[in-house]
Amino acid sequence: MRLEGKVALISGGARGQGAVEAKLFASEGASVVIGDILDDLGRQVEAEIAESGGNATYVHVDVTSESQWNDAVNTAVERYGKLDILVNNAGILIRAGVEDTTGEDWDRIMDINGKGVFLGTKAAIPAMRDAGGGSIINISSIAGLQGSPASAAYSATKGAVRILTKSTAVQYAKEGIRCNSVHPGLIYTDMTRDTLDTPEGEREWRARVPMGYIGVSEDVAKGVLFLASDESSYMTGSELVIDGGITAQ
Ligand code: NAP
């Protein structure tokens, strides 16, 4: 039970990596608040966790809404007594290069992937302070570490998340609130399935991934669990890369 007695809030927890993290956290003893805009899927994850004996509550959280973030943090505190862990996982992908990206697309993805992480962090910090500390895990991407062949705005948002993580780490280290970023490579989820399953997609990942296969949500969730737990107690502002070796080349 690596998260025994902890309370976690995970955005984008209705499917994909966020849902796997919610289930893993609950199986390790955490009470989990799942936020997403996909209400039916979110309630399904809540029910699955309850069926296996865990504690979970689904709340509707559009990460671009400050008031919905505040409500989610209040739900964690009112229902489970505190907040120890925040996973800023929600995100969208727009695969378009510089000239193909519209101003509207730029604003939309910045709002969700960038401002959403800022608002979640801002909402969680007072509750973590009350709890005597906490761990914030921001899901960036390898697109936040190196130039992307396929996206302009997406990689800009993930670069922003990477450096916001370090600023948060520095600003709150003395209060025992840690903040680290996770940088997944090519992970097979609803976000990427359409492109990975095409012949061009397969050619791309075979050429790019030294380990020779696409990662799954569980590969990322195990790293997020480590950063959420006290096992990573001396880590803050760091980057955990989970990419089958893509960025090692
Ligand atoms: P996913 O299955 O699409 O999960 C993302 C979740 O976030 C979805 O449930 C999505 O709902 C939700 N979401 C979108 N906009 C939201 C909003 N405004 N408020 C609240 N929730 C919202 O994709 P995933 O692969 O698990 O992605 C999780 C994170 O990993 C993302 O931050 C992504 O950028 C990052 N990542 C993924 C990969 C990869 O290869 N899959 C690689 C690197 C990083 P909708 O379906 O309605 O959009």
Side-chain angles (χ1 to χ4, degrees):
M1 287 292 185
R2 295 161 70 188
L3 299 181
E4 185 76 61
K6 305 258 191 203
V7 181
L9 168 57
I10 303 176
S11 72
R15 69 174 203 192
Q17 296 171 43
V20 171
E21 285 151 17
K23 291 177 205 169
L24 180 63
F25 280 22
S27 75
E28 291 289 346
S31 299
V32 185
V33 176
I34 304 152
D36 207 301
I37 49 177
L38 302 173
D39 297 338
D40 290 345
L41 284 178
R43 285 194 197 98
Q44 222 169 287
V45 176
E46 176 193 73
E48 278 175 47
I49 291 173
E51 273 160 32
S52 54
N55 291 325
T57 302
Y58 173 75
V59 287
H60 182 93
V61 181
D62 180 333
V63 293
T64 64
S65 163
E66 192 159 12
S67 64
Q68 288 179 22
W69 266 120
N70 288 333
D71 289 348
V73 170
N74 288 339
T75 299
V77 173
E78 280 160 20
R79 200 155 294 186
Y80 301 119
K82 58 178 180 158
L83 181 67
D84 306 292
I85 299 159
L86 168 67
V87 185
N88 277 310
N89 163 77
I92 60 166
L93 170 66
I94 297 176
R95 280 173 79 92
V98 172
E99 289 182 277
D100 295 327
T101 300
T102 64
E104 242 173 42
D105 281 346
W106 177 274
D107 289 343
R108 189 164 71 93
I109 198 167
M110 279 291 170
D111 238 26
I112 296 171
N113 293 11
K115 189 177 173 191
V117 172
F118 154 68
L119 290 176
T121 303
K122 190 177 171 188
I125 281 171
M128 289 185 172
R129 183 179 289 125
D130 289 347
S135 176
I136 301 170
I137 300 104
N138 292 334
I139 308 302
S140 176
S141 166
I142 56 168
L145 296 174
Q146 56 178 203
S148 163
S151 75
Y154 179 77
S155 56
T157 65
K158 294 303 185 180
V161 167
R162 172 184 171 273
I163 203 69
L164 175 62
T165 300
K166 294 182 196 305
S167 297
T168 305
V170 168
Q171 288 170 30
Y172 295 97
K174 292 248 174 352
E175 298 192 70
I177 299 171
R178 301 184 293 112
C179 185
N180 295 285
S181 57
V182 173
H183 300 263
L186 297 175
I187 309 298
Y188 196 80
T189 66
D190 287 326
M191 179 180 277
T192 50
R193 187 167 289 128
D194 284 357
T195 45
L196 289 172
D197 280 347
T198 62
E200 309 82 68
E202 183 170 347
R203 263 196 304 278
E204 185 197 326
W205 70 254
R206 284 196 186 283
R208 285 183 73 195
V209 187
M211 288 184 80
Y213 59 91
I214 304 167
V216 291
S217 295
E218 286 73 9
D219 294 318
V220 180
K222 286 180 215 159
V224 176
L225 169 63
F226 168 66
L227 291 173
S229 78
D230 294 338
E231 292 159 26
S232 58
S233 56
Y234 198 53
M235 288 176 69
T236 198
S238 74
E239 300 164 10
L240 183 58
V241 177
I242 303 173
D243 71 347
I246 294 176
T247 54
Q249 301 169 96

